[in-house]
Structure formats: C-alpha cells, structure tokens
Amino acid sequence: RFGSSPRSAAKETRAMGEEMQWRTKYSTEVAATKRFAGRPWHATFQVRNLVGGETGNFTLMVQPHWAPVGARRFRRLVEEHFYDGARFFRVVPGFVAQWGIAADPGTSSAWQFKTIADDIVRVTNKRGRVSFAAAGLDSRTTQMFINLGDNRPLDHSGSLGGFSPFAEVVSGMEVVDALYGGYGDGPPRGTGPDQSRIFRSGNSYLEESFPKLSYIGTVEFESFGTEGAAARDEELASIAHRLGPLKFVSPLLLLALFLMARIFCKMCRLLSQKDDVSTGDGPAPQTIG
C-alpha cells in the first residue's frame, strides 16, 4: 500500500498469507456452509438457577458470515437439543461464562471426536459475543463461552488467529451477568468444577458437588424449514475434508498404474517373441533328385 512502512507491509503480507493458507485448507468446509451463510438467526436460552434461584432468558443473534463453520455446528447442536440441562460450569466474572458439556456423559462421549475446522477470526471477542472453546488447532466440538468482558487477546490465541465469535447476545445480558459464578475457575487455576469429571459423570457430579450452578432448560431457535440440513452438510464436509488429499494423490496413482500397465504389456510381448523363437519350425528337409 502506498505510504505504508516496511513493517506494516510485512504484517499485511503475512496476514494475506495466513488468509490464503486457511482458504486452501478449509475450502471444503466453507463451501458446505453456503446454505446458512449470510442468514442471521436467533436462539433463545431458557436459564434456571440464576443467582438467588431466579430464572431468565437471553437471546443470541447468530451471524454465520462471522464464522460459518462454527455457526453451522451450533445450529446442529441446538437442533439436536444437545444443551438441554447443561450447566454453566465455568463462570469467571469479567472474563467468560462457559458451557457445552452435555448433561448425560454418554452424549458427551458420542461427540468427543466430532471436531470441526477452525474459522478465521473476523470480529473481536468483545463483551456479549460468543465463541467456541478449543484445545488446539481444529479441536472445536461442543463447548462455547460468552465473553463477560472485552477479551481482545483471545482474538490472537492460536496459530491461525484465535477464538472466532459466531454470535452475540442481543437481549438478556443481565441474565448472563446473573449466572452463578461463586465456584470460580476450575483446575488447575481454581477449585471449581473439573471438566474431565463432568465429561465422565455428567450432571450427577455437578448436582452433588456444585449444586448452585446455573443451567439451561432448553434452547428455542428460529426454524427455516431446514432442520437436519446442518448435520447433513457437516457430515458431507467432513467426508470431503478427509478425501481432500486424494485429489492430489489420485493423478499420481493413475500415472503409476498407467506406467505399470505399459511395462507389463511390453514384458508380455518380449516373452511371446521368445516363445516363438524357441518353439518355431526348423529348416525344411533337403532332398536330392
């Protein structure tokens, strides 16, 4: 750009390189999200056991163009009622309110390895916005968090950007602020709920050891008459992603098979010619008179 410093130019070049790397790697994922891309929709959480034992609702506006892969996963989860009964097990005032481990450990186990590809971070993690939690590259599954403060450092965590918001609270932020946070962070930072134990035991562990946690009754969402489409698209994208390397390997395999076939045919011809020489008729008998 005209007038930019060498440092800023290098930064822009690096950012463009990361963008191209992401687009190349996840093109199949993004292509499969076009059904929902650019079509915002609402999801309303009915929350129980708020501070003081109250109940309340908060509503998210899902913005698929912010993070299409994450928005599609969220759509699938609410359609399958994954979050019904789930606890807000990690509420750290001023930081995040996290949830997304199922009430039933069998359900959590079934989703353990259903990871999705990362999205580019297109908007910042400011107060009220919602992102998926992650444990590394391409590791997102079902856990997510609401930012309780402006958490811009989360935009730059990870090799390709960080935690990508896909929705934001548009009503009921006072309900989010009333989620019970008295247990603090979990191990190793604090003595709150242990995620590994929630995963193994579900709500039975939380009800016994952390009974004051706020939890989700159910999630209501806008229906476009496309229920099940998110799951189908996600499964197809997963297959396409796994088969993606074959488009580079297949031409090489075809070439190798072609060369092997030519060599085989040539060897057959040589063997055939050798057999003709060894088994052919001898010279005609000579006669006198």
Side-chain angles (χ1 to χ4, degrees), residues 167-198:
E168 63 183 336
V169 178
V170 291
S171 68
M173 193 64 194
E174 70 281 1
V175 174
V176 175
D177 288 332
L179 296 171
Y180 186 80
Y183 296 122
D185 210 341
R189 296 184 181 89
T191 58
D194 185 333
Q195 291 191 36
S196 61
R197 291 195 61 184
I198 306 172

Side-chain angles (χ1 to χ4, degrees), residues 43-109:
T44 299
F45 286 69
Q46 299 176 1
V47 186
R48 301 171 185 170
N49 209 28
L50 297 167
V51 172
E54 300 295 325
T55 61
N57 298 340
F58 67 85
T59 299
L60 303 183
M61 172 72 83
V62 180
Q63 302 282 4
H65 61 284
W66 287 358
V69 179
R72 184 186 60 199
R73 167 55 61 90
F74 178 66
R75 179 80 188 189
R76 179 179 181 179
L77 290 168
V78 297
E79 285 183 357
E80 298 185 15
H81 299 279
F82 177 90
Y83 295 118
D84 292 5
R87 267 52 180 174
F88 291 90
F89 60 83
R90 185 189 183 204
V91 179
V92 182
F95 183 43
V96 298
Q98 186 171 340
W99 78 99
I101 303 178
D104 173 46
T107 303
S108 294
S109 180

Side-chain angles (χ1 to χ4, degrees), residues 251-282:
L252 296 177
L253 289 175
L254 290 173
L255 179 60
L257 289 173
F258 174 74
L259 293 175
M260 289 175 66
R262 290 198 62 180
I263 294 171
F264 178 76
C265 291
K266 188 173 182 180
M267 290 180 66
C268 288
R269 287 196 298 271
L270 290 173
L271 289 173
S272 177
Q273 292 172 5
K274 184 177 180 180
D275 289 341
D276 290 343
V277 171
S278 61
T279 62
D281 295 336

Side-chain angles (χ1 to χ4, degrees), residues 120-218:
I120 290 177
V121 179
R122 293 183 171 87
V123 295
T124 189
N125 281 276
K126 73 176 185 179
R127 174 174 162 82
R129 287 186 175 162
V130 185
S131 301
F132 272 90
L137 186 66
D138 298 341
S139 64
R140 299 182 299 172
T141 53
T142 61
Q143 292 191 46
M144 56 190 61
F145 60 89
I146 301 174
N147 290 283
L148 301 181
D150 292 336
N151 295 318
R152 293 182 184 276
L154 297 182
D155 301 346
H156 308 291
S157 301
S159 60
L160 288 179
F163 298 92
S164 12
F166 66 91
E168 63 183 336
V169 178
V170 291
S171 68
M173 193 64 194
E174 70 281 1
V175 174
V176 175
D177 288 332
L179 296 171
Y180 186 80
Y183 296 122
D185 210 341
R189 296 184 181 89
T191 58
D194 185 333
Q195 291 191 36
S196 61
R197 291 195 61 184
I198 306 172
F199 186 85
R200 291 195 306 269
S201 304
N203 278 358
S204 60
Y205 158 65
L206 294 175
E207 289 168 357
E208 179 181 353
S209 303
F210 303 95
K212 293 184 180 181
L213 288 177
S214 305
Y215 64 94
I216 299 164
T218 190

